[in-house]
Amino acid sequence: MIVGSHHLPYNHPLIILSFPIHTLISSTFSCKPLTMATSSSLTLSHQTLLSHSKTHITTKSTASILVPTTSSKVNGVLLKSNSRRRRVGSLATIVRAAAVETLESTDTEQVVEKSINTIRFLAIDAVEKANSGHPGLPMGCAPMGHILYDEVMRYNPKNPYWFNRDRFVLSAGHGCMLQYALLHLAGYDSVLEEDLKTFRQWGSKIPGHPENFETPGVEVTTGPLGQGIANAVGLALAEKHLAARFNKPDAEIVDHYTYVILGDGCQMEGIAQEACSLAGHWGLGKLIALYDDNHISIDGDTAIAFTENVDLRFEALGWHVIWVKNGNTGYDGIRAAIKEAQAVKDKPTLIKVTTTIGFGSPNKSNSYSVHGSALGAKEVEATRQNLGWPYEPFHVPEEVKKHWSRHTPEGASLEASWNAKFAEYEKKYPAEAAEFKSIVTGELSAGWEKALPTYTPETPGDATRNLSQQCLNALAKVLPGLLGGSADLASSNMTLLKMFGDFQKDTPEERNVRFGVREHGMGAICNGIALHSPGFIPYCATFFVFTDYMRGAMRISALSEAGVIYVMTHDSIGLGEDGPTHQPIEHLASFRAMPNILMLRPADGNETAGAYKVAVEHRKTPSILALSRQKLPNLPGTSIEGVEKGGYTITDNSSSNKPDIILMGTGSELEIAAKAGDALRKEGKTVRVVSLVSWELFDKQPDEYKESVLPSSVTARVSIEAGSTFGWGKYIGAKGKAISIDKFGASAPAGTIYKEYGITVEAVIEAAKSVS
């Protein structure tokens, strides 16, 4: 039998002693021999070991250890007393120095166990008070959380936004009380004791899943499983990119890790596979993911639906894989695994940590019932008894407070040291430092917007996807934090930055990111990049219809205030022959319905430039640019300034704000509206043509401005857009008419489809006459 600290339950009333393998313990009272097989050190526990006055230490090598024989339970097994007395090895002089070191180690281990149980019970108590939440993960992952936040990670709790901090992502966001408890113990002002008591309540700073915009210290918003690990890939990409760009042989200013805890549910989600595949390809050596391998999901044991070999899968993805078989009490195993992971520089590491969900709960551990609901008063009390926890709810023992209190001065010291290092860097490398500060602070250089191209009606027409590439390449010269790429469609989305190479494992300083056919992972990775540093401006691209594959990540962009720029080309039936599988219909309406996201559909060069100006300026709001495949003319009256207002007049022959008819359009259909306006004017009508390039921006304008564009007295209104009619009613009113598409597209040349679907000048003229 092998006995070490990792074999003992937390409620065992023991003091822990650690000795090298060559040390023997013997005493004058009856002991039961236990054998240590192969480990180079061992840990023994029993209170009477220290209390007995005649304990001896010898230096003769042996694998046999004497343990007092008083009855006790170890892992639920009753160890009965043994009246026989055995002595192994010869006695020698007591090594007092070793004994003192052992006592100090004992004290530390006691605090560690008490700290881990503190984490467990803060989670249990908060969930119980709220009568809502997920206690199982925090109870099982408390050792991982403690070791990361207390022993491994570098951070400053009084400045959660210090640049060179290690990042932590709880991908299994339902277990958020784990992170809140850790932030509380570490000294973050965002999670005080009174906050713990408001978990999941109205106005609380600790909501039901981690939200970066609510709780300083939370890096990204997680909850939908798999998003967090994908965000973490983005965070690690950002670190590797900045390190490659700005570190010097004599000055390393970028050096931090990204740590993740993810669960079985994250592993099942496709987005995790997409992102982790890229992480392996890119060799993100400072990404360390701890996989909570507890084999339980909401429906029960994961054996009902998830039986693959995760280790082999991650090895195939190019990850270093470590398995910690005892994540419940095997603290040294977790420590050793993290240390090993840090030593691997050329690939990310997955540490599979096998745990028991709800560890410590006598009746609910290792079951789905502890996953997503409060334990209940009786089980809470039983768990307190089982883990030897005599404290009131939300109590943090004084020795635990004292132990964790060092993180405040240590964090301040870490940041001060880094600031001094950067000050020296700035003196030696002023140009690089200026670029770096722009990315870290989000402060853009004065006049950056002047780099955007402008166009006149005489400028040859072009597809807005091509005009988009002109804007991207112009902005890359003045925005150090602009980087991104496409889901294997760069040559079609037109997103390559021509002056840069590809971000790859061996060229991480470059700014073209090749995502492959991984739309969902791409969006979530860009969220991580955006949330790494305020001056990062990530963009990603695919066909507009394939936002269906990444909508989950786009929604998290909006929720978490991540200013990603989504470059979505092939925006309508205008893409032609590829047919209805590739032709978006309902997509414009669906994103207009999503909070905190800008849906922009520019009509020409000036509007495309305006869309980029808006997107760059809105760092806490993601933007979608819907761009055409087909060529469009540069229209009279369009402007960057107009786009900033969301809706504006491009042509108007009326006076006193009383046109006979108002025609509205977006994107490729604004040209149709403009031509119809010209034709109606020839018939003697006064016609105003309005570009509604962004409904969200227009709706935010003052009422006076909106009245100046769409006067309420004019009810003769017609809209035209090659998408769903949904939503147009608020602009055209009860008497207006919407020319749109409320069925799927078709496979044919674009011109044919437009004609067959009635998206024509003639249709607009007819509708205008019918409503006027």
Side-chain angles (χ1 to χ4, degrees):
M1 178 179 181
I2 302 171
V3 173
S5 63
H6 59 286
H7 290 101
L8 298 170
Y10 291 142
N11 61 331
H12 205 258
L14 309 176
I15 294 177
I16 301 172
L17 293 175
S18 295
F19 297 92
I21 186 63
H22 60 265
T23 302
L24 293 179
I25 305 171
S26 65
S27 65
T28 58
F29 50 76
S30 297
C31 295
K32 183 176 181 180
L34 296 173
T35 301
M36 185 71 179
T38 58
S39 177
S40 60
S41 66
L42 55 91
T43 304
L44 296 178
S45 306
H46 208 289
Q47 192 168 12
T48 54
L49 263 176
L50 287 181
S51 64
H52 201 278
S53 62
K54 293 185 178 181
T55 299
H56 300 291
I57 300 176
T58 80
T59 57
K60 184 175 180 179
S61 179
T62 181
S64 208
I65 305 301
L66 301 180
V67 179
T69 57
T70 52
S71 298
S72 61
K73 281 188 177 181
V74 178
N75 283 353
V77 179
L78 183 65
L79 301 181
K80 298 182 179 179
S81 62
N82 189 333
S83 60
R84 293 180 299 169
R85 179 172 176 268
R86 297 181 57 188
R87 185 183 300 276
V88 180
S90 62
L91 295 177
T93 304
I94 296 176
V95 184
R96 289 184 174 83
V100 171
E101 183 178 350
T102 297
L103 288 170
E104 292 175 350
S105 176
T106 297
D107 292 340
T108 300
E109 289 299 323
Q110 280 187 316
V111 173
V112 167
E113 290 210 14
K114 189 164 283 190
S115 171
I116 290 169
N117 276 337
T118 299
I119 296 164
R120 288 192 173 107
F121 280 99
L122 287 177
I124 290 169
D125 295 338
V127 171
E128 197 67 23
K129 189 174 190 302
N131 195 30
S132 175
H134 300 74
L137 183 144
M139 295 168 72
C141 291
M144 281 185 264
H146 168 87
I147 290 168
L148 283 174
Y149 269 83
D150 187 53
E151 302 176 17
V152 176
M153 288 171 54
R154 296 168 298 175
Y155 56 88
N156 181 2
K158 300 307 178 185
N159 181 10
Y161 306 107
W162 168 47
F163 166 75
N164 207 40
R165 68 192 181 277
D166 290 330
R167 272 69 170 174
F168 173 76
V169 175
L170 183 62
S171 188
H174 55 274
C176 56
M177 267 310 306
L178 171 70
Q179 189 168 14
Y180 298 149
L182 291 166
L183 292 174
H184 175 64
L185 292 177
Y188 283 77
D189 294 331
S190 54
V191 187
L192 304 177
E193 181 179 347
E194 54 265 33
D195 297 315
L196 295 172
K197 298 175 182 178
T198 66
F199 179 51
R200 288 186 162 221
Q201 304 307 299
W202 179 263
S204 175
K205 291 191 290 185
I206 56 169
H209 288 82
E211 297 172 3
N212 62 293
F213 52 92
E214 288 286 0
T215 316
V218 172
E219 300 289 350
V220 298
T221 296
T222 60
L225 295 176
Q227 293 286 338
I229 180 63
N231 292 167
V233 172
L235 292 170
L237 180 154
E239 192 278 343
K240 183 165 184 170
H241 175 71
L242 291 177
R245 274 178 72 177
F246 296 107
N247 283 350
K248 303 293 183 182
D250 62 342
E252 188 177 57
I253 57 171
V254 183
D255 177 25
H256 52 266
Y257 284 85
T258 301
Y259 297 96
V260 189
I261 291 179
L262 70 158
D264 290 307
C266 296
Q267 293 284 19
M268 296 184 215
E269 289 285 359
I271 186 176
Q273 170 73 9
E274 292 182 18
C276 290
S277 174
L278 283 167
H281 171 72
W282 289 328
L284 300 180
K286 288 189 174 177
L287 173 61
I288 299 175
L290 291 89
Y291 163 34
D292 177 27
D293 172 43
N294 65 39
H295 298 278
I296 296 293
S297 62
I298 293 176
D299 278 353
D301 194 296
T302 55
I304 63 176
F306 185 58
T307 55
E308 68 198 46
N309 190 318
V310 174
D311 307 47
L312 293 181
R313 175 159 62 89
F314 270 77
E315 286 178 2
L317 294 176
W319 287 56
H320 181 64
V321 178
I322 307 168
W323 183 13
V324 177
K325 296 182 180 180
N326 177 14
N328 296 325
T329 57
Y331 313 147
D332 286 341
I334 297 171
R335 292 174 179 124
I338 294 172
K339 186 174 182 179
E340 180 183 332
Q342 291 174 332
V344 177
K345 306 298 184 183
D346 63 341
K347 58 179 65 176
T349 295
L350 179 78
I351 304 174
K352 184 174 79 169
V353 185
T354 299
T355 67
T356 300
I357 190 172
F359 181 87
S361 169
N363 303 303
K364 293 188 176 182
S365 65
N366 198 34
S367 72
Y368 69 91
S369 60
V370 78
H371 171 84
S373 59
L375 293 177
K378 288 184 179 179
E379 189 64 14
V380 170
E381 180 58 29
T383 304
R384 274 181 155 76
Q385 292 293 325
N386 191 45
L387 293 179
W389 196 251
Y391 305 104
E392 293 297 313
F394 300 103
H395 180 78
V396 179
E398 286 303 317
E399 58 267 44
V400 174
K401 288 181 182 178
K402 181 179 178 181
H403 178 79
W404 281 82
S405 66
R406 75 188 193 281
H407 289 291
T408 294
E410 285 180 2
S413 178
L414 285 169
E415 182 172 0
S417 176
W418 184 86
N419 288 339
K421 183 183 291 187
F422 181 72
E424 289 299 313
Y425 180 94
E426 196 168 17
K427 291 176 184 177
K428 293 180 180 180
Y429 309 103
E432 291 92 333
E435 277 200 357
F436 179 78
K437 286 173 71 174
S438 175
I439 295 173
V440 170
T441 65
E443 295 177 5
L444 305 180
S445 59
W448 65 269
E449 71 279 2
K450 295 177 182 177
L452 286 165
T454 56
Y455 305 85
T456 69
E458 290 70 41
T459 305
D462 206 346
T464 52
R465 62 172 174 162
N466 294 332
L467 300 168
S468 165
Q469 186 171 43
Q470 294 174 21
C471 293
L472 282 171
N473 279 270
L475 290 172
K477 298 174 183 177
V478 296
L479 299 176
L482 182 71
L483 78 167
S486 168
D488 199 50
L489 289 168
S491 60
S492 191
N493 299 141
M494 310 305 291
T495 49
L496 282 178
L497 302 179
K498 297 178 180 179
M499 69 288 288
F500 297 110
D502 291 347
F503 176 96
Q504 295 290 359
K505 181 176 182 177
D506 297 322
T507 55
E509 71 278 5
E510 301 293 353
R511 289 161 67 179
N512 286 302
V513 184
R514 304 285 190 168
F515 290 102
V517 189
R518 301 180 182 94
E519 292 88 357
H520 201 183
M522 173 177 70
I525 289 169
C526 283
N527 286 340
I529 296 171
L531 294 173
H532 181 280
S533 294
F536 267 127
I537 306 174
Y539 66 89
C540 61
T542 186
F543 291 171
F544 191 29
V545 75
F546 296 142
T547 54
D548 289 342
Y549 280 136
M550 61 193 300
R551 186 175 298 269
M554 297 173 80
R555 188 176 189 274
I556 293 294
S557 292
L559 178 61
S560 61
E561 301 176 351
V564 178
I565 301 176
Y566 291 94
V567 182
M568 302 290 109
T569 69
H570 298 61
D571 70 334
S572 72
I573 58 171
L575 65 86
E577 291 84 351
D578 276 342
T581 60
H582 284 54
Q583 293 165 354
I585 299 295
E586 73 281 10
H587 297 69
L588 288 166
S590 70
F591 284 111
R592 287 167 178 159
M594 186 178 287
N596 194 44
I597 196 165
L598 297 177
M599 182 68 251
L600 299 123
R601 191 168 183 244
D604 63 2
N606 286 329
E607 289 205 339
T608 302
Y612 272 104
K613 184 174 187 291
V614 165
V616 170
E617 289 175 337
H618 285 74
R619 289 295 76 227
K620 291 192 174 183
T621 301
S623 300
I624 305 170
L625 278 63
L627 305 169
S628 73
R629 176 180 183 266
Q630 69 273 33
K631 285 186 177 182
L632 302 174
N634 287 293
L635 299 170
T638 60
S639 68
I640 292 174
E641 297 74 23
V643 173
E644 292 180 278
K645 294 183 180 297
Y648 65 106
T649 299
I650 66 165
T651 61
D652 186 11
N653 66 331
S654 69
S655 59
S656 302
N657 201 28
K658 292 182 179 179
D660 295 329
I661 304 165
I662 298 176
L663 306 180
M664 293 169 272
T666 73
S668 48
E669 290 73 67
L670 186 60
E671 175 196 4
I672 296 174
K675 287 182 176 179
D678 290 340
L680 288 166
R681 290 181 192 119
K682 291 178 181 178
E683 297 182 7
K685 299 290 186 180
T686 58
V687 182
R688 175 176 296 174
V689 179
V690 172
S691 170
L692 277 179
V693 58
S694 171
W695 294 12
E696 299 80 22
L697 291 174
F698 182 71
D699 289 348
K700 290 180 180 178
Q701 300 306 310
D703 290 341
E704 295 81 5
Y705 176 77
K706 288 186 284 187
E707 179 68 16
S708 73
V709 176
L710 300 177
S712 55
S713 61
V714 180
T715 59
R717 303 179 181 188
V718 177
S719 67
I720 181 167
E721 185 175 66
S724 170
T725 58
F726 188 85
W728 275 105
K730 67 177 179 178
Y731 298 116
I732 61 173
K735 296 182 179 180
K737 187 169 184 178
I739 298 174
S740 297
I741 303 172
D742 287 321
K743 60 182 179 180
F744 291 119
S747 179
T752 301
I753 304 174
Y754 268 80
K755 182 178 179 180
E756 292 294 333
Y757 278 60
I759 311 297
T760 63
V761 172
E762 293 76 16
V764 175
I765 293 172
E766 181 181 348
K769 291 179 178 179
S770 70
V771 299
S772 61

